[in-house]
């Protein structure tokens, strides 16, 4: 069900010599006030929907309509402190709630949570603004102006899919409306309704997100340099690790390193798996993990993974292709030594171990 929504905006015109010149040269009619009237179709904002989109070219009235519709609920961004970590700029919420929300919008990089906003990448800043808008909305409605306007289009699509996935899954409790001039986010955001300001009409539909086409190739150890600083525990990589690269849209987006399981013939374990921050939140890490496991299965190797990352644990637990083999709620202490010193254990962190299920089991 739709209804007509009308708004008139006015601003004063300040007369001057140059203003009169412009009016004369370009036949611009002058009045005491400039006025523009917008009449658009709108869905029932109290109806059954979760995600909306207001889209259209620059100057078409998107922000004007959004301000009239949502008032103070329209998030337009504001400065972040330069001397505080982003995780300290989001109120007194429990760290588990913040970690869950960062992960839900595709910002699953704890090393970046402890940095100030000013040093983060454009894609990371975009996701921090999303987290702030969603937190402020609570269980109500979050409307974000200039959505994806300051990030490249790959990041825009991935970020749109991440926030949509979180809202549909119930990880985020509010409704969400994106306001943008970029039409390319529509299939990735999968909105329940779209108001196109070019035609000033609303369409109710849920577009299907394009399928994720991830290519997995063997690579040299040097590829780890691109991913090392984004690993949540350590940037080191075993010198004998077998390495794989995940490629999407001709860009390297994920890395997986394997080593043998000591004393267990025919088994390997994941020692490092990383998705670049700008590409987190749409299932690339999970697809990479399963793809590598399938490659190893073809070679008659069983793949295992032990992880303490909440997002990875949650994904692998849900997957029918993995089986839990062990849970250590408080981790383990030091397990041995190597040339450079003691091997760090996982004491204080909840750790879960999995093995890849054979096709017969799946």
């Amino acid at each position: 069900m739709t209804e007509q929504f009308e708004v008139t905006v006015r601003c004063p015109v300040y007369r001057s010599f140059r203003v009169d010149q412009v009016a004369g040269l370009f036949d611009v009619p002058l009045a005491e006030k400039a006025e523009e009237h917008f009449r658009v179709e709108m869905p029932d904002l109290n109806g059954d929907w979760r995600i909306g989109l207001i889209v259209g070219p620059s100057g078409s009235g998107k922000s004007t309509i959004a301000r009239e519709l949502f008032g103070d609920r329209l998030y337009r961004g504001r400065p972040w402190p330069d001397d505080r970590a982003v995780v300290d700029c989001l109120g007194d919420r429990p760290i588990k709630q913040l970690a869950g929300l960062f992960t839900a919008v595709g910002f699953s990089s704890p090393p970046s949570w402890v940095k100030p906003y000013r040093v983060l990448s454009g894609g990371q800043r975009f996701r921090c603004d999303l987290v702030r808008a969603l937190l402020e909305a609570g269980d109500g409605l979050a409307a974000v102006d200039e959505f994806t306007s300051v990030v490249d289009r790959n990041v825009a699509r991935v970020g749109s899919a991440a926030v949509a996935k979180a809202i549909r899954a119930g990880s985020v409790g509010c409704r969400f409306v994106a306001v943008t001039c970029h039409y390319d986010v529509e299939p990735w955001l999968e909105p329940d309704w779209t108001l196109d300001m070019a035609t000033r009409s609303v369409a109710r539909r849920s577009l299907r997100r394009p399928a994720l086409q991830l290519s997995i190739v063997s690579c040299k150890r040097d590829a780890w340099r691109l991913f090392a600083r984004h690993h949540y525990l350590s940037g080191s990589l075993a010198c004998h690790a077998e390495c794989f690269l995940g490629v999407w849209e001709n860009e390297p987006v994920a890395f997986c390193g394997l080593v043998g399981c000591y004393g267990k013939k025919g088994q390997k374990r994941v020692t490092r798996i990383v998705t670049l921050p700008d590409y987190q939140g749409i299932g690339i890490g999970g697809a990479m993990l399963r793809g590598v496991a399938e490659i190893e299965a073809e070679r008659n190797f069983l793949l295992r993974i032990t992880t303490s990352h909440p997002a990875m644990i949650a994904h692998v637990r849900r997957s029918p292709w993995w089986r839990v083999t062990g849970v250590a709620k408080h981790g383990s202490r030091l397990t041995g030594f190597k040339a450079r010193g003691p091997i760090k254990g996982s004491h204080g962190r909840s750790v879960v171990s999995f093995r890849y299920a054979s096709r017969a089991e799946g």
Side-chain angles (χ1 to χ4, degrees), residues 12-144:
V13 175
Y14 300 99
R15 299 292 291 269
S16 69
F17 174 69
R18 287 189 175 178
V19 169
D20 288 337
Q21 278 187 311
V22 171
L25 285 171
F26 299 100
D27 196 24
V28 177
L30 295 179
E32 286 190 11
K33 292 184 177 179
E35 180 176 297
E36 190 164 4
H37 185 76
F38 298 95
R39 176 183 293 173
V40 299
E41 292 182 4
M42 278 300 300
D44 179 4
L45 295 183
N46 295 316
D48 182 21
W49 62 273
R50 297 288 293 166
I51 300 173
L53 174 65
I54 300 177
V55 66
S58 296
S60 61
K62 301 181 300 299
S63 296
T64 298
I65 290 295
R67 281 195 300 270
E68 289 294 321
L69 286 171
F70 309 121
D72 292 340
R73 294 177 295 177
L74 179 64
Y75 183 83
R76 305 197 69 186
R78 61 178 183 275
W80 291 70
D82 286 342
D83 57 351
R84 298 174 65 193
V86 291
V87 74
D88 285 327
C89 299
L90 298 169
D92 297 328
R93 279 88 173 181
I95 188 61
K96 286 188 176 181
Q97 180 187 2
L98 295 180
L101 199 51
F102 276 131
T103 300
V105 300
F107 188 24
S108 304
S109 299
S112 296
W113 302 347
V114 300
K115 297 176 182 178
Y117 181 87
R118 61 183 172 82
V119 306
L120 301 179
S121 69
Q124 291 170 332
R125 291 182 183 185
F126 164 61
R127 287 178 167 86
C128 286
D129 285 321
L130 273 181
V131 167
R132 180 190 266 177
L134 295 171
L135 279 173
E136 291 179 358
D139 293 332
L141 181 143
V144 177

Side-chain angles (χ1 to χ4, degrees), residues 21-349:
Q21 278 187 311
V22 171
L25 285 171
F26 299 100
D27 196 24
V28 177
L30 295 179
E32 286 190 11
K33 292 184 177 179
E35 180 176 297
E36 190 164 4
H37 185 76
F38 298 95
R39 176 183 293 173
V40 299
E41 292 182 4
M42 278 300 300
D44 179 4
L45 295 183
N46 295 316
D48 182 21
W49 62 273
R50 297 288 293 166
I51 300 173
L53 174 65
I54 300 177
V55 66
S58 296
S60 61
K62 301 181 300 299
S63 296
T64 298
I65 290 295
R67 281 195 300 270
E68 289 294 321
L69 286 171
F70 309 121
D72 292 340
R73 294 177 295 177
L74 179 64
Y75 183 83
R76 305 197 69 186
R78 61 178 183 275
W80 291 70
D82 286 342
D83 57 351
R84 298 174 65 193
V86 291
V87 74
D88 285 327
C89 299
L90 298 169
D92 297 328
R93 279 88 173 181
I95 188 61
K96 286 188 176 181
Q97 180 187 2
L98 295 180
L101 199 51
F102 276 131
T103 300
V105 300
F107 188 24
S108 304
S109 299
S112 296
W113 302 347
V114 300
K115 297 176 182 178
Y117 181 87
R118 61 183 172 82
V119 306
L120 301 179
S121 69
Q124 291 170 332
R125 291 182 183 185
F126 164 61
R127 287 178 167 86
C128 286
D129 285 321
L130 273 181
V131 167
R132 180 190 266 177
L134 295 171
L135 279 173
E136 291 179 358
D139 293 332
L141 181 143
V144 177
D145 201 7
E146 301 295 338
F147 182 72
T148 74
S149 292
V150 296
V151 293
D152 70 54
R153 303 325 302 160
N154 270 349
V155 175
R157 291 182 292 167
V158 172
S160 298
V163 71
K165 179 182 176 183
I167 291 172
R168 304 281 187 207
S171 303
V172 176
C174 65
R175 294 181 178 188
F176 181 78
V177 178
V179 183
T180 181
C181 61
H182 298 286
Y183 286 83
D184 62 341
V185 303
E186 186 174 10
W188 296 82
L189 195 61
E190 301 178 276
D192 299 305
W193 57 263
T194 300
L195 171 60
D196 189 340
M197 290 300 294
T199 60
R200 299 188 181 178
S201 62
V202 68
R204 268 194 169 277
R205 60 183 181 273
S206 182
L207 300 181
R208 186 178 181 84
R209 177 164 63 93
L212 175 65
Q213 300 291 336
L214 185 71
S215 299
I216 300 175
V217 296
S218 295
C219 66
K220 294 183 177 179
R221 192 173 180 278
D222 291 349
W224 174 242
R225 295 175 184 172
L226 178 63
F227 300 86
R229 67 188 182 93
H230 301 295
H231 193 269
Y232 73 109
L233 292 179
S234 169
S236 64
L237 178 68
C239 60
H240 56 284
E242 180 182 2
C243 302
F244 296 88
L245 196 64
V247 180
W248 181 64
E249 300 277 315
N250 296 317
E251 294 287 340
V253 298
F255 177 95
C256 184
L258 310 181
V259 294
C261 288
Y262 182 74
K264 296 180 180 179
K265 186 177 180 180
Q267 298 187 32
K268 297 181 183 179
R269 64 178 178 88
V270 176
T271 182
R272 293 289 182 264
I273 183 163
V274 180
T275 301
L276 292 180
D278 285 347
Y279 298 92
Q280 294 173 2
I282 62 170
I284 287 177
M288 181 74 179
L289 185 60
R290 185 185 170 194
V292 171
E294 279 291 304
I295 291 172
E296 293 304 319
E298 291 286 346
R299 301 171 178 173
N300 294 318
F301 283 99
L302 173 67
L303 190 64
R304 296 180 177 272
I305 180 171
T306 297
T307 179
S308 63
H309 196 295
M312 183 59 74
I313 291 173
H315 168 78
V316 182
R317 275 190 183 277
R318 291 192 303 265
S319 172
W321 296 96
W322 296 87
R323 301 289 182 268
V324 176
T325 59
V327 177
K329 291 186 177 180
H330 304 292
S332 61
R333 296 185 180 276
L334 298 182
T335 57
F337 289 84
K338 56 184 179 180
R340 296 181 181 178
I343 299 172
K344 291 183 179 180
S346 56
H347 184 64
R349 293 182 282 113

